[in-house]
Amino acid sequence: MAAAAPPTPTTTTAWVVDRPGPITGRPLRRVEREVAAPGPYELLVEVGACGVCRTDLHLAEGDLAPHRPLCTPGHEVVGRVLAAGPAAEGFVPGDRVGAAWLAGTCGECRYCRAGQENLCPYSRYTGWDLDGGYAGHLMVDARYAYRLPEGWADEEIAPLLCAGIIGYRALERAELPPGGRLGLYGFGASAHLTAQLAIARGATVHVLTRSEAAQRLALDLGAASAAGAYDAPPEPLDAAILFAPVGELVPTALAALDRGGTLAVAGIHLTDIPPLGYARHLFQERTLRSVTANTREDGRAYLAEAARLRPRVHLTRYPMSRADQALADLAADRVTGVAVLVPDPE
């Protein structure tokens, strides 16, 4: 049964990307905004928690060009429905919902018709095209919202809505064979969830990351080994996923693959990749793949699997009023696991 919905507000407090640039220059600004009534397919949601993703940092710092001015970041959002538009089927006030990165597609292009809506040229994204969850409230298209189970803390579910889902898709793209050897390069929010998923499926996981705290977390979560980002894993890899936005790691990860192995690059932003040597990096049918967003089916499949596994979410909580500090800590590698914004104490 859905919880009772609180009254609908007339205004909300939100962070916006004011002037994209280095996080030390404070590109975010906090503003007060009016709360509109939901459109036909929309849900007005009161935010209970919002994960802090590295994509938010890329948007704030200008690595990703803004799609519109003064956009509110945040696309790992858990909250309660306050009001629903007349065509927002399946949701009523009080329902617990999740809003993720993919916020809309055209539904008509050849990619959408083929089940590849993540490649839709007209796709829209929460916290980039539409205002996201660094706020007290946000509007969500009900057709792209996820119904969430009760009995699981908002702040623990929130990171699953991007870090978890994109890690799931990256793992699928990496085509890890049953019982295979997986390398994870970088070990932040997404990797620490993906490692648990892969281990539960029977994989041997080797983590390569520069942070000693992240290495310790990896071992604590069941990784077979943890070493520096440029170190060689203790055995050849059947597959690898690059989570760190560092193009220089692409040749390193490719060289660590066994014959026929696949490297999936999970990030939306990557620094330039240096030249590759054909014999060392690609020959013997090694494959290099990108990962682009996700489909709603990816989201539903991962959330169902996560509900069974109940992964340990290693999180640091920040009040919503300190969202700028959370991004600064993420930029400075002061966050192990994932940062999550929660409402300020009343």
Side-chain angles (χ1 to χ4, degrees):
M1 179 182 293
T8 302
T10 57
T11 63
T12 193
T13 302
W15 289 92
V16 298
V17 179
D18 189 9
R19 296 180 179 178
I23 201 67
T24 53
R26 304 180 70 85
L28 297 187
R29 177 165 59 91
R30 212 169 185 205
V31 301
E32 195 77 12
R33 279 183 161 163
E34 292 185 359
V35 174
Y41 293 97
E42 290 181 327
L43 305 172
L44 174 60
V45 176
E46 182 177 52
V47 176
C50 182
V52 177
C53 180
R54 190 162 290 273
T55 299
D56 303 332
L57 181 62
H58 293 318
L59 289 166
E61 295 200 310
D63 296 324
L64 297 177
H67 280 184
R68 65 184 185 84
L70 300 180
C71 189
T72 296
H75 55 273
E76 300 177 328
V77 191
V78 177
R80 296 277 177 189
V81 176
L82 295 184
E89 297 179 356
F91 294 98
V92 297
D95 280 348
R96 192 186 205 195
V97 298
W101 178 237
L102 186 67
T105 57
C106 74
E108 299 177 355
C109 69
R110 66 186 182 96
Y111 302 104
C112 287
R113 295 198 306 270
Q116 297 175 297
E117 63 181 5
N118 61 306
L119 301 180
C120 174
Y122 311 102
S123 54
R124 297 183 300 161
Y125 301 98
T126 309
W128 197 8
D129 299 284
L130 308 174
D131 287 328
Y134 284 30
H137 305 81
L138 83 160
M139 210 69 77
V140 183
D141 188 323
R143 295 166 294 184
Y144 293 83
Y146 295 97
R147 185 178 297 280
L148 300 177
E150 301 292 343
W152 200 351
D154 289 351
E155 57 263 40
E156 292 184 342
I157 297 182
L160 307 186
L161 291 163
C162 177
I165 292 172
I166 201 65
Y168 171 88
R169 185 169 183 88
L171 187 57
E172 296 296 299
R173 292 280 290 165
E175 295 187 340
L176 180 70
R181 302 156 297 177
L182 175 68
L184 300 180
Y185 287 81
F187 201 73
S190 191
H192 97 288
L193 294 172
T194 308
Q196 294 177 70
L197 177 61
I199 291 168
R201 291 179 174 184
T204 298
V205 173
H206 300 288
V207 170
L208 297 308
T209 185
R210 65 184 181 181
S211 167
E212 293 183 0
Q215 292 173 15
R216 291 192 295 270
L217 176 60
L219 295 173
D220 184 50
L221 293 175
S225 73
Y230 292 91
D231 292 339
E235 58 183 338
L237 304 173
D238 297 304
I241 303 173
L242 175 58
F243 289 103
V246 182
E248 287 185 352
L249 284 172
V250 170
T252 300
L254 285 170
L257 293 176
D258 206 348
R259 299 174 183 222
T262 297
L263 169 63
V265 179
I268 191 173
H269 170 75
L270 189 71
T271 58
D272 288 344
I273 300 171
L276 301 176
Y278 180 65
R280 177 168 170 75
H281 301 122
L282 294 173
F283 191 55
Q284 296 172 334
E285 301 195 350
R286 296 180 180 89
T287 300
L288 173 61
R289 286 180 155 180
S290 67
V291 180
T292 301
N294 62 274
T295 66
R296 284 170 285 179
E297 183 54 37
D298 290 330
R300 289 187 286 265
Y302 173 70
L303 290 172
E305 196 163 353
R308 294 191 298 270
L309 297 177
R310 293 297 289 261
R312 290 170 54 191
V313 182
H314 189 89
L315 59 87
T316 302
R317 297 171 182 84
Y318 292 81
M320 188 66 72
S321 59
R322 296 184 62 224
D324 54 349
Q325 184 61 54
L327 274 186
D329 288 349
L330 181 64
D333 288 333
R334 291 190 292 262
V335 175
T336 300
V338 61
V340 179
L341 305 177
V342 296
D344 288 85
E346 295 184 0

